[in-house]
Amino acid sequence: EFVFTNPKYFRINEGKLNMEITASTIEQYASDETMYAKNITFELFNDDGEKSAEGKGNLLSANLETGLYYLFDNIIIKSFEKNITITASSIKWNDESEQLTTEINNPSESQVFITSDDDPKFKIQGYGFSGSGFDHSFTFTGEVSGEITTNK
């Protein structure tokens, strides 16, 4: 068991930086490959070394063996490649399937807000969110509302 105060983590893949994480506290447990963090911020980088996304949340629970990451409370994720911002109170990332999801079974924690300032501009909120890291599509399986504004 390790406890780090104000750490900065870097994930390097094939000699290239692909993630940077900072937090106020990180607890790491080798026995079950889990990590817990408070006040976390992260940045993701593409193969060209450019920042592709950034985000933050108050709490993180991660299983490094399974590649499942759970963020809780005041979550903001910005994709610079797609120019969208996602906000939520609870969200899960699956490294293997590259899926960002919420639980529809818990409506109080599954509402997601997505905004974009591109043309068309949109603001969408809904429940049962699922977003794909492969094709950058997203869907809602529950109630959805929002507005779309075009310059045409």
Side-chain angles (χ1 to χ4, degrees):
E1 172 182 328
F2 294 101
V3 177
F4 303 96
T5 304
N6 298 317
K8 188 177 267 194
Y9 276 87
F10 301 93
R11 185 165 77 178
I12 310 291
N13 190 12
E14 296 181 8
K16 296 180 182 179
L17 175 67
N18 67 0
M19 182 188 300
E20 182 177 325
I21 297 174
T22 60
S24 63
T25 304
I26 292 181
E27 299 175 17
Q28 191 165 7
Y29 299 89
S31 61
D32 61 358
E33 293 290 319
T34 58
M35 178 174 78
Y36 303 94
K38 292 180 184 175
N39 304 317
I40 187 167
T41 63
F42 62 88
E43 295 178 334
L44 304 176
F45 300 89
N46 62 23
D47 290 339
D48 296 326
E50 299 167 337
K51 186 167 33 172
S52 60
E54 66 183 16
K56 68 176 190 164
N58 288 352
L59 297 170
L60 169 75
S61 171
N63 184 312
L64 305 175
E65 188 174 341
T66 63
L68 297 177
Y69 299 82
Y70 298 87
L71 272 169
F72 303 98
D73 298 331
N74 299 314
I75 300 161
I76 300 173
I77 300 170
K78 295 180 181 181
S79 169
F80 298 109
E81 293 177 339
K82 292 297 176 182
N83 194 26
I84 63 169
T85 300
I86 298 170
T87 59
S89 62
S90 174
I91 207 156
K92 176 177 82 171
W93 172 256
N94 183 319
D95 246 355
E96 185 177 333
S97 66
E98 292 194 22
Q99 291 288 309
L100 191 64
T101 59
T102 61
E103 297 293 330
I104 189 139
N105 297 336
N106 190 351
S108 66
E109 298 204 4
S110 73
Q111 188 171 25
V112 171
F113 299 85
I114 302 176
T115 60
S116 176
D117 290 328
D118 277 350
D119 188 25
K121 292 182 182 182
F122 63 84
K123 296 178 184 178
I124 300 171
Q125 62 188 40
Y127 297 91
F129 171 81
S130 179
S132 171
F134 288 118
D135 63 11
H136 303 285
S137 64
F138 60 89
T139 60
F140 291 93
T141 58
E143 182 180 325
V144 179
S145 64
E147 61 184 61
I148 299 173
T149 307
T150 64
N151 289 330
K152 296 180 182 182

